[in-house]
Amino acid sequence: MMDERQAVAAFAALGQEHRLRIVRQLVTAGPEGMAAGMLAEAVGVSGTNLSFHLKELSHSGLVTSRREGRSIIYSAAYLDLSELIQFLMRDCCQGRPEVCAPAVAALSACCEETA
Amino acid sequence: MMDERQAVAAFAALGQEHRLRIVRQLVTAGPEGMAAGMLAEAVGVSGTNLSFHLKELSHSGLVTSRREGRSIIYSAAYLDLSELIQFLMRDCCQGRPEVCAPAVAALSACCEETA
DNA sequence: TCAATATCTCAATCATCGTCGAAACGTAGA
DNA sequence: TCTACGTTTCGACGATGATTGAGATATTGA
């Protein structure tokens, strides 16, 4: 279960243009992930800079990495992302589901839009 | 619909201990919101500091305010929060709902835990 | 109008973050 | 082992952010 410190770190990591692009790119890429080099091109940052941001994101638990040959493949940490969302909305709306129903609907729709 | 700039601003706003506490406090408080003074006490910051953070949060669209007598009442912007979540998870997992099902389940559960 | 309460603005200070270039590291193939 | 490739580490600089205290603004009740 996510605690406040982790959540702050995760949100701070997402609160930066390039890092948010990186995470969204990886979320879109699916569980297989992407190599660092392709990510740098897709996001539009230098290799050095990407490395810095990926380190930050790894440390926040939002992305994971594995080596494949001479490339390093990064993927979105879907489970941690969902825990982050849950942390933010926990105990919401004082038992009035209609208040946060839009959030539930928005997230439910995310997997169907691409189908 | 939320764009990248807004999302970055919103996540950056949440990526700070006191601001995250403020938003979570307001999310828990429900649609009626809380007065600034009670928020300061609940979150544990000085009035000056709270004002600075609330301004930041208002500017990011995560909270709204209204005057009531000599108090100013702040509330969570539930709709903007849901759009933020949707922005992060848009086009996720390449059509494999099982990947982000945990996120959907986590958010759906948020309104039932307090019941 | 006066005093009291609630909240905000302003200016200054200190710490942290993002970016870059150069160099180092690990891996693959000849 | 040597070279090429992909990625990361290091040191430095400039920019942005958090916090504080004092003063300003707005509202209420006497």
Tab-separated table of all heavy atoms in Angstrom, chain B residues 4-64:
chain	number	residue	atom	x	y	z
B	4	GLU	N	-1.621	18.824	-21.992
B	4	GLU	CA	-0.390	18.462	-21.291
B	4	GLU	C	0.031	19.520	-20.277
B	4	GLU	O	0.426	19.188	-19.163
B	4	GLU	CB	0.731	18.226	-22.306
B	4	GLU	CG	2.000	17.729	-21.669
B	4	GLU	CD	3.141	17.620	-22.658
B	4	GLU	OE1	3.681	18.663	-23.058
B	4	GLU	OE2	3.492	16.485	-23.044
B	5	ARG	N	-0.084	20.769	-20.662
B	5	ARG	CA	0.358	21.830	-19.767
B	5	ARG	C	-0.429	21.805	-18.450
B	5	ARG	O	0.150	21.929	-17.366
B	5	ARG	CB	0.188	23.183	-20.458
B	5	ARG	CG	0.519	24.363	-19.559
B	5	ARG	CD	0.703	25.624	-20.350
B	5	ARG	NE	1.786	25.473	-21.323
B	5	ARG	CZ	2.222	26.445	-22.128
B	5	ARG	NH1	1.661	27.624	-22.068
B	5	ARG	NH2	3.206	26.232	-22.966
B	6	GLN	N	-1.736	21.663	-18.566
B	6	GLN	CA	-2.550	21.608	-17.353
B	6	GLN	C	-2.182	20.408	-16.497
B	6	GLN	O	-2.135	20.491	-15.272
B	6	GLN	CB	-4.029	21.518	-17.733
B	6	GLN	CG	-4.611	22.775	-18.355
B	6	GLN	CD	-6.029	22.511	-18.824
B	6	GLN	OE1	-6.252	21.852	-19.828
B	6	GLN	NE2	-6.991	23.003	-18.066
B	7	ALA	N	-1.975	19.273	-17.152
B	7	ALA	CA	-1.669	18.056	-16.409
B	7	ALA	C	-0.342	18.184	-15.668
B	7	ALA	O	-0.231	17.794	-14.503
B	7	ALA	CB	-1.632	16.854	-17.357
B	8	VAL	N	0.657	18.747	-16.338
B	8	VAL	CA	1.953	18.953	-15.679
B	8	VAL	C	1.787	19.840	-14.457
B	8	VAL	O	2.300	19.539	-13.370
B	8	VAL	CB	2.974	19.565	-16.661
B	8	VAL	CG1	4.206	20.056	-15.908
B	8	VAL	CG2	3.373	18.558	-17.719
B	9	ALA	N	1.038	20.930	-14.622
B	9	ALA	CA	0.820	21.846	-13.508
B	9	ALA	C	0.099	21.147	-12.365
B	9	ALA	O	0.438	21.334	-11.189
B	9	ALA	CB	0.025	23.065	-13.982
B	10	ALA	N	-0.886	20.327	-12.699
B	10	ALA	CA	-1.664	19.640	-11.668
B	10	ALA	C	-0.791	18.629	-10.920
B	10	ALA	O	-0.809	18.587	-9.684
B	10	ALA	CB	-2.858	18.939	-12.300
B	11	PHE	N	-0.020	17.839	-11.639
B	11	PHE	CA	0.835	16.848	-10.976
B	11	PHE	C	1.913	17.540	-10.147
B	11	PHE	O	2.233	17.095	-9.037
B	11	PHE	CB	1.462	15.907	-11.998
B	11	PHE	CG	0.537	14.845	-12.488
B	11	PHE	CD1	0.284	14.682	-13.838
B	11	PHE	CD2	-0.102	13.995	-11.593
B	11	PHE	CE1	-0.584	13.695	-14.294
B	11	PHE	CE2	-0.967	13.009	-12.042
B	11	PHE	CZ	-1.209	12.866	-13.399
B	12	ALA	N	2.473	18.615	-10.679
B	12	ALA	CA	3.478	19.346	-9.911
B	12	ALA	C	2.864	19.881	-8.626
B	12	ALA	O	3.505	19.880	-7.569
B	12	ALA	CB	4.056	20.487	-10.749
B	13	ALA	N	1.614	20.318	-8.716
B	13	ALA	CA	0.934	20.819	-7.530
B	13	ALA	C	0.766	19.706	-6.500
B	13	ALA	O	0.925	19.924	-5.299
B	13	ALA	CB	-0.415	21.411	-7.905
B	14	LEU	N	0.469	18.511	-6.967
B	14	LEU	CA	0.278	17.386	-6.055
B	14	LEU	C	1.609	16.837	-5.530
B	14	LEU	O	1.621	16.097	-4.544
B	14	LEU	CB	-0.486	16.265	-6.764
B	14	LEU	CG	-1.945	16.568	-7.107
B	14	LEU	CD1	-2.532	15.459	-7.965
B	14	LEU	CD2	-2.769	16.754	-5.843
B	15	GLY	N	2.701	17.200	-6.170
B	15	GLY	CA	3.995	16.641	-5.802
B	15	GLY	C	4.669	17.425	-4.699
B	15	GLY	O	5.875	17.644	-4.739
B	16	GLN	N	3.901	17.813	-3.727
B	16	GLN	CA	4.437	18.584	-2.599
B	16	GLN	C	3.632	18.165	-1.371
B	16	GLN	O	2.406	18.174	-1.383
B	16	GLN	CB	4.274	20.078	-2.888
B	16	GLN	CG	5.299	20.969	-2.220
B	16	GLN	CD	4.988	21.202	-0.763
B	16	GLN	OE1	3.829	21.136	-0.356
B	16	GLN	NE2	6.014	21.445	0.028
B	17	GLU	N	4.340	17.791	-0.347
B	17	GLU	CA	3.729	17.203	0.839
B	17	GLU	C	2.494	17.960	1.313
B	17	GLU	O	1.421	17.383	1.465
B	17	GLU	CB	4.780	17.152	1.947
B	17	GLU	CG	4.276	16.532	3.245
B	17	GLU	CD	5.342	16.641	4.343
B	17	GLU	OE1	6.453	17.112	4.048
B	17	GLU	OE2	5.033	16.250	5.486
B	18	HIS	N	2.644	19.243	1.544
B	18	HIS	CA	1.535	20.003	2.117
B	18	HIS	C	0.369	20.130	1.143
B	18	HIS	O	-0.789	20.010	1.532
B	18	HIS	CB	2.013	21.377	2.570
B	18	HIS	CG	2.970	21.306	3.716
B	18	HIS	ND1	3.928	22.248	3.946
B	18	HIS	CD2	3.109	20.372	4.687
B	18	HIS	CE1	4.628	21.918	5.021
B	18	HIS	NE2	4.165	20.779	5.476
B	19	ARG	N	0.682	20.328	-0.128
B	19	ARG	CA	-0.403	20.458	-1.100
B	19	ARG	C	-1.138	19.141	-1.277
B	19	ARG	O	-2.363	19.104	-1.409
B	19	ARG	CB	0.133	20.975	-2.441
B	19	ARG	CG	0.424	22.459	-2.434
B	19	ARG	CD	0.534	23.015	-3.841
B	19	ARG	NE	1.669	22.465	-4.559
B	19	ARG	CZ	2.850	23.054	-4.623
B	19	ARG	NH1	3.048	24.205	-4.017
B	19	ARG	NH2	3.835	22.498	-5.294
B	20	LEU	N	-0.410	18.034	-1.278
B	20	LEU	CA	-1.076	16.739	-1.403
B	20	LEU	C	-2.000	16.506	-0.211
B	20	LEU	O	-3.129	16.028	-0.352
B	20	LEU	CB	-0.043	15.620	-1.523
B	20	LEU	CG	-0.608	14.207	-1.688
B	20	LEU	CD1	-1.534	14.131	-2.899
B	20	LEU	CD2	0.514	13.187	-1.820
B	21	ARG	N	-1.522	16.885	0.973
B	21	ARG	CA	-2.373	16.742	2.160
B	21	ARG	C	-3.619	17.597	2.048
B	21	ARG	O	-4.711	17.175	2.429
B	21	ARG	CB	-1.594	17.159	3.415
B	21	ARG	CG	-0.648	16.089	3.899
B	21	ARG	CD	-0.184	16.387	5.327
B	21	ARG	NE	1.051	15.675	5.612
B	21	ARG	CZ	1.981	16.081	6.476
B	21	ARG	NH1	1.809	17.227	7.122
B	21	ARG	NH2	3.062	15.391	6.680
B	22	ILE	N	-3.447	18.798	1.543
B	22	ILE	CA	-4.590	19.704	1.386
B	22	ILE	C	-5.630	19.073	0.458
B	22	ILE	O	-6.823	19.012	0.784
B	22	ILE	CB	-4.124	21.065	0.815
B	22	ILE	CG1	-3.299	21.818	1.855
B	22	ILE	CG2	-5.312	21.899	0.366
B	22	ILE	CD1	-2.569	23.036	1.301
B	23	VAL	N	-5.177	18.586	-0.680
B	23	VAL	CA	-6.122	18.016	-1.649
B	23	VAL	C	-6.786	16.781	-1.072
B	23	VAL	O	-8.008	16.612	-1.183
B	23	VAL	CB	-5.406	17.677	-2.977
B	23	VAL	CG1	-6.320	16.906	-3.898
B	23	VAL	CG2	-4.927	18.946	-3.649
B	24	ARG	N	-6.015	15.936	-0.411
B	24	ARG	CA	-6.607	14.726	0.156
B	24	ARG	C	-7.598	15.078	1.259
B	24	ARG	O	-8.643	14.438	1.401
B	24	ARG	CB	-5.520	13.809	0.703
B	24	ARG	CG	-4.586	13.307	-0.392
B	24	ARG	CD	-4.291	11.835	-0.255
B	24	ARG	NE	-4.004	11.450	1.096
B	24	ARG	CZ	-4.347	10.285	1.624
B	24	ARG	NH1	-5.006	9.412	0.906
B	24	ARG	NH2	-4.026	9.992	2.864
B	25	GLN	N	-7.263	16.081	2.031
B	25	GLN	CA	-8.170	16.524	3.078
B	25	GLN	C	-9.488	17.001	2.462
B	25	GLN	O	-10.572	16.670	2.965
B	25	GLN	CB	-7.513	17.659	3.862
B	25	GLN	CG	-8.301	18.123	5.072
B	25	GLN	CD	-8.294	17.095	6.189
B	25	GLN	OE1	-7.275	16.488	6.455
B	25	GLN	NE2	-9.442	16.883	6.814
B	26	LEU	N	-9.375	17.728	1.354
B	26	LEU	CA	-10.579	18.251	0.702
B	26	LEU	C	-11.353	17.134	0.009
B	26	LEU	O	-12.589	17.147	-0.021
B	26	LEU	CB	-10.210	19.350	-0.294
B	26	LEU	CG	-9.714	20.653	0.339
B	26	LEU	CD1	-9.282	21.641	-0.733
B	26	LEU	CD2	-10.789	21.255	1.228
B	27	VAL	N	-10.629	16.182	-0.568
B	27	VAL	CA	-11.295	15.047	-1.204
B	27	VAL	C	-12.096	14.276	-0.158
B	27	VAL	O	-13.235	13.866	-0.398
B	27	VAL	CB	-10.262	14.111	-1.878
B	27	VAL	CG1	-10.866	12.749	-2.191
B	27	VAL	CG2	-9.744	14.749	-3.160
B	28	THR	N	-11.501	14.111	1.007
B	28	THR	CA	-12.183	13.398	2.085
B	28	THR	C	-13.343	14.213	2.649
B	28	THR	O	-14.356	13.651	3.074
B	28	THR	CB	-11.186	13.082	3.213
B	28	THR	OG1	-10.099	12.337	2.664
B	28	THR	CG2	-11.843	12.278	4.317
B	29	ALA	N	-13.186	15.529	2.634
B	29	ALA	CA	-14.204	16.389	3.241
B	29	ALA	C	-15.509	16.370	2.470
B	29	ALA	O	-16.560	16.689	3.034
B	29	ALA	CB	-13.673	17.818	3.334
B	30	GLY	N	-15.451	16.033	1.199
B	30	GLY	CA	-16.670	16.018	0.392
B	30	GLY	C	-16.932	17.338	-0.288
B	30	GLY	O	-16.168	18.296	-0.115
B	31	PRO	N	-18.011	17.404	-1.053
B	31	PRO	CA	-18.299	18.563	-1.894
B	31	PRO	C	-18.478	19.873	-1.133
B	31	PRO	O	-18.297	20.936	-1.708
B	31	PRO	CB	-19.608	18.182	-2.592
B	31	PRO	CG	-19.716	16.716	-2.456
B	31	PRO	CD	-18.989	16.332	-1.228
B	32	GLU	N	-18.845	19.827	0.148
B	32	GLU	CA	-19.065	21.088	0.878
B	32	GLU	C	-17.759	21.822	1.144
B	32	GLU	O	-17.756	23.032	1.304
B	32	GLU	CB	-19.743	20.838	2.227
B	32	GLU	CG	-21.058	20.102	2.128
B	32	GLU	CD	-20.814	18.618	2.036
B	32	GLU	OE1	-19.718	18.187	2.446
B	32	GLU	OE2	-21.690	17.901	1.527
B	33	GLY	N	-16.678	21.080	1.244
B	33	GLY	CA	-15.392	21.718	1.448
B	33	GLY	C	-15.098	22.086	2.891
B	33	GLY	O	-15.802	21.667	3.813
B	34	MET	N	-14.037	22.883	3.081
B	34	MET	CA	-13.582	23.281	4.412
B	34	MET	C	-13.097	24.719	4.372
B	34	MET	O	-12.564	25.173	3.368
B	34	MET	CB	-12.397	22.418	4.866
B	34	MET	CG	-12.725	21.003	5.259
B	34	MET	SD	-11.202	20.142	5.691
B	34	MET	CE	-10.786	20.939	7.256
B	35	ALA	N	-13.203	25.424	5.500
B	35	ALA	CA	-12.670	26.778	5.608
B	35	ALA	C	-11.151	26.741	5.659
B	35	ALA	O	-10.559	25.762	6.128
B	35	ALA	CB	-13.214	27.456	6.851
B	36	ALA	N	-10.511	27.798	5.183
B	36	ALA	CA	-9.051	27.853	5.117
B	36	ALA	C	-8.429	27.639	6.490
B	36	ALA	O	-7.432	26.922	6.627
B	36	ALA	CB	-8.608	29.190	4.529
B	37	GLY	N	-9.003	28.238	7.497
B	37	GLY	CA	-8.447	28.114	8.837
B	37	GLY	C	-8.421	26.687	9.341
B	37	GLY	O	-7.433	26.236	9.908
B	38	MET	N	-9.511	25.950	9.112
B	38	MET	CA	-9.568	24.559	9.551
B	38	MET	C	-8.594	23.702	8.751
B	38	MET	O	-8.002	22.760	9.272
B	38	MET	CB	-10.977	24.020	9.389
B	38	MET	CG	-12.034	24.839	10.108
B	38	MET	SD	-13.532	23.880	10.380
B	38	MET	CE	-12.934	22.568	11.475
B	39	LEU	N	-8.454	24.069	7.473
B	39	LEU	CA	-7.498	23.360	6.619
B	39	LEU	C	-6.079	23.524	7.169
B	39	LEU	O	-5.325	22.547	7.267
B	39	LEU	CB	-7.546	23.926	5.211
B	39	LEU	CG	-8.248	23.111	4.133
B	39	LEU	CD1	-8.141	23.821	2.802
B	39	LEU	CD2	-7.667	21.717	4.035
B	40	ALA	N	-5.732	24.741	7.522
B	40	ALA	CA	-4.386	25.013	8.025
B	40	ALA	C	-4.089	24.144	9.242
B	40	ALA	O	-3.014	23.569	9.373
B	40	ALA	CB	-4.249	26.495	8.379
B	41	GLU	N	-5.095	24.027	10.110
B	41	GLU	CA	-4.907	23.218	11.314
B	41	GLU	C	-4.800	21.741	10.961
B	41	GLU	O	-3.931	21.025	11.455
B	41	GLU	CB	-6.077	23.453	12.261
B	41	GLU	CG	-5.837	22.922	13.664
B	41	GLU	CD	-7.033	23.170	14.570
B	41	GLU	OE1	-8.003	23.799	14.093
B	41	GLU	OE2	-6.994	22.731	15.718
B	42	ALA	N	-5.697	21.277	10.072
B	42	ALA	CA	-5.725	19.865	9.705
B	42	ALA	C	-4.430	19.439	9.005
B	42	ALA	O	-3.941	18.333	9.211
B	42	ALA	CB	-6.928	19.584	8.806
B	43	VAL	N	-3.885	20.325	8.197
B	43	VAL	CA	-2.716	19.979	7.395
B	43	VAL	C	-1.423	20.273	8.147
B	43	VAL	O	-0.404	19.624	7.909
B	43	VAL	CB	-2.763	20.736	6.048
B	43	VAL	CG1	-1.477	20.574	5.295
B	43	VAL	CG2	-3.943	20.243	5.216
B	44	GLY	N	-1.477	21.246	9.040
B	44	GLY	CA	-0.285	21.555	9.824
B	44	GLY	C	0.660	22.541	9.174
B	44	GLY	O	1.866	22.331	9.181
B	45	VAL	N	0.118	23.615	8.625
B	45	VAL	CA	0.964	24.664	8.059
B	45	VAL	C	0.463	26.017	8.564
B	45	VAL	O	-0.672	26.140	9.019
B	45	VAL	CB	0.945	24.664	6.514
B	45	VAL	CG1	1.486	23.376	5.970
B	45	VAL	CG2	-0.468	24.913	5.997
B	46	SER	N	1.319	27.018	8.456
B	46	SER	CA	0.938	28.369	8.862
B	46	SER	C	-0.070	28.940	7.869
B	46	SER	O	-0.179	28.484	6.730
B	46	SER	CB	2.163	29.266	8.899
B	46	SER	OG	2.667	29.466	7.599
B	47	GLY	N	-0.803	29.948	8.300
B	47	GLY	CA	-1.794	30.564	7.430
B	47	GLY	C	-1.180	31.111	6.153
B	47	GLY	O	-1.717	30.925	5.058
B	48	THR	N	-0.049	31.779	6.311
B	48	THR	CA	0.641	32.342	5.143
B	48	THR	C	1.000	31.259	4.142
B	48	THR	O	0.761	31.386	2.941
B	48	THR	CB	1.928	33.048	5.593
B	48	THR	OG1	1.587	34.078	6.521
B	48	THR	CG2	2.647	33.640	4.416
B	49	ASN	N	1.536	30.207	4.684
B	49	ASN	CA	1.978	29.112	3.837
B	49	ASN	C	0.787	28.433	3.155
B	49	ASN	O	0.825	28.118	1.962
B	49	ASN	CB	2.738	28.109	4.700
B	49	ASN	CG	3.642	27.234	3.874
B	49	ASN	OD1	3.695	27.374	2.665
B	49	ASN	ND2	4.347	26.341	4.522
B	50	LEU	N	-0.265	28.211	3.913
B	50	LEU	CA	-1.457	27.598	3.334
B	50	LEU	C	-1.992	28.435	2.185
B	50	LEU	O	-2.351	27.910	1.126
B	50	LEU	CB	-2.549	27.449	4.392
B	50	LEU	CG	-3.820	26.785	3.845
B	50	LEU	CD1	-3.679	25.282	3.903
B	50	LEU	CD2	-5.048	27.248	4.596
B	51	SER	N	-2.014	29.723	2.383
B	51	SER	CA	-2.514	30.612	1.345
B	51	SER	C	-1.718	30.459	0.058
B	51	SER	O	-2.273	30.394	-1.042
B	51	SER	CB	-2.428	32.056	1.832
B	51	SER	OG	-2.864	32.942	0.835
B	52	PHE	N	-0.403	30.384	0.216
B	52	PHE	CA	0.458	30.195	-0.949
B	52	PHE	C	0.113	28.908	-1.684
B	52	PHE	O	-0.037	28.881	-2.909
B	52	PHE	CB	1.920	30.167	-0.483
B	52	PHE	CG	2.883	29.710	-1.531
B	52	PHE	CD1	3.288	30.559	-2.543
B	52	PHE	CD2	3.372	28.406	-1.515
B	52	PHE	CE1	4.172	30.131	-3.518
B	52	PHE	CE2	4.259	27.971	-2.480
B	52	PHE	CZ	4.657	28.842	-3.490
B	53	HIS	N	-0.079	27.838	-0.931
B	53	HIS	CA	-0.350	26.544	-1.556
B	53	HIS	C	-1.744	26.495	-2.166
B	53	HIS	O	-1.946	25.910	-3.233
B	53	HIS	CB	-0.177	25.420	-0.536
B	53	HIS	CG	1.249	25.181	-0.157
B	53	HIS	ND1	2.255	25.012	-1.083
B	53	HIS	CD2	1.853	25.088	1.043
B	53	HIS	CE1	3.410	24.827	-0.470
B	53	HIS	NE2	3.191	24.876	0.827
B	54	LEU	N	-2.709	27.115	-1.495
B	54	LEU	CA	-4.073	27.127	-2.040
B	54	LEU	C	-4.121	27.914	-3.344
B	54	LEU	O	-4.840	27.533	-4.281
B	54	LEU	CB	-5.039	27.733	-1.028
B	54	LEU	CG	-5.434	26.804	0.122
B	54	LEU	CD1	-6.278	27.551	1.136
B	54	LEU	CD2	-6.193	25.590	-0.400
B	55	LYS	N	-3.355	28.977	-3.393
B	55	LYS	CA	-3.282	29.753	-4.632
B	55	LYS	C	-2.741	28.878	-5.758
B	55	LYS	O	-3.264	28.880	-6.881
B	55	LYS	CB	-2.376	30.963	-4.403
B	55	LYS	CG	-2.332	31.942	-5.557
B	55	LYS	CD	-1.427	33.113	-5.187
B	55	LYS	CE	-1.077	33.953	-6.418
B	55	LYS	NZ	0.005	34.905	-6.109
B	56	GLU	N	-1.707	28.150	-5.437
B	56	GLU	CA	-1.104	27.234	-6.410
B	56	GLU	C	-2.130	26.195	-6.871
B	56	GLU	O	-2.252	25.902	-8.070
B	56	GLU	CB	0.088	26.533	-5.754
B	56	GLU	CG	1.048	25.887	-6.711
B	56	GLU	CD	2.151	26.832	-7.143
B	56	GLU	OE1	2.093	28.029	-6.788
B	56	GLU	OE2	3.056	26.370	-7.860
B	57	LEU	N	-2.862	25.642	-5.923
B	57	LEU	CA	-3.838	24.601	-6.250
B	57	LEU	C	-5.013	25.172	-7.048
B	57	LEU	O	-5.520	24.518	-7.962
B	57	LEU	CB	-4.344	23.929	-4.971
B	57	LEU	CG	-3.331	23.021	-4.275
B	57	LEU	CD1	-3.810	22.626	-2.888
B	57	LEU	CD2	-3.056	21.782	-5.116
B	58	SER	N	-5.445	26.371	-6.698
B	58	SER	CA	-6.518	27.006	-7.459
B	58	SER	C	-6.072	27.231	-8.896
B	58	SER	O	-6.811	26.969	-9.841
B	58	SER	CB	-6.890	28.360	-6.845
B	58	SER	OG	-7.373	28.192	-5.542
B	59	HIS	N	-4.845	27.714	-9.025
B	59	HIS	CA	-4.318	27.997	-10.359
B	59	HIS	C	-4.222	26.732	-11.193
B	59	HIS	O	-4.364	26.768	-12.422
B	59	HIS	CB	-2.947	28.663	-10.222
B	59	HIS	CG	-2.473	29.322	-11.471
B	59	HIS	ND1	-1.564	28.734	-12.316
B	59	HIS	CD2	-2.808	30.500	-12.048
B	59	HIS	CE1	-1.347	29.530	-13.350
B	59	HIS	NE2	-2.085	30.615	-13.216
B	60	SER	N	-3.969	25.603	-10.554
B	60	SER	CA	-3.909	24.321	-11.260
B	60	SER	C	-5.292	23.726	-11.460
B	60	SER	O	-5.436	22.696	-12.108
B	60	SER	CB	-3.051	23.321	-10.477
B	60	SER	OG	-1.818	23.897	-10.125
B	61	GLY	N	-6.294	24.355	-10.895
B	61	GLY	CA	-7.664	23.879	-11.094
B	61	GLY	C	-8.061	22.699	-10.229
B	61	GLY	O	-9.104	22.093	-10.460
B	62	LEU	N	-7.271	22.375	-9.214
B	62	LEU	CA	-7.582	21.198	-8.407
B	62	LEU	C	-8.510	21.518	-7.246
B	62	LEU	O	-9.113	20.615	-6.675
B	62	LEU	CB	-6.290	20.561	-7.876
B	62	LEU	CG	-5.387	19.966	-8.957
B	62	LEU	CD1	-4.079	19.485	-8.351
B	62	LEU	CD2	-6.095	18.821	-9.660
B	63	VAL	N	-8.600	22.774	-6.887
B	63	VAL	CA	-9.537	23.174	-5.830
B	63	VAL	C	-10.305	24.412	-6.285
B	63	VAL	O	-9.850	25.167	-7.140
B	63	VAL	CB	-8.827	23.472	-4.493
B	63	VAL	CG1	-7.925	22.338	-4.081
B	63	VAL	CG2	-8.054	24.767	-4.575
B	64	THR	N	-11.482	24.586	-5.713
B	64	THR	CA	-12.265	25.788	-5.973
B	64	THR	C	-12.586	26.440	-4.632
B	64	THR	O	-12.469	25.795	-3.587
B	64	THR	CB	-13.576	25.458	-6.699
B	64	THR	OG1	-14.334	24.572	-5.868
B	64	THR	CG2	-13.303	24.771	-8.027
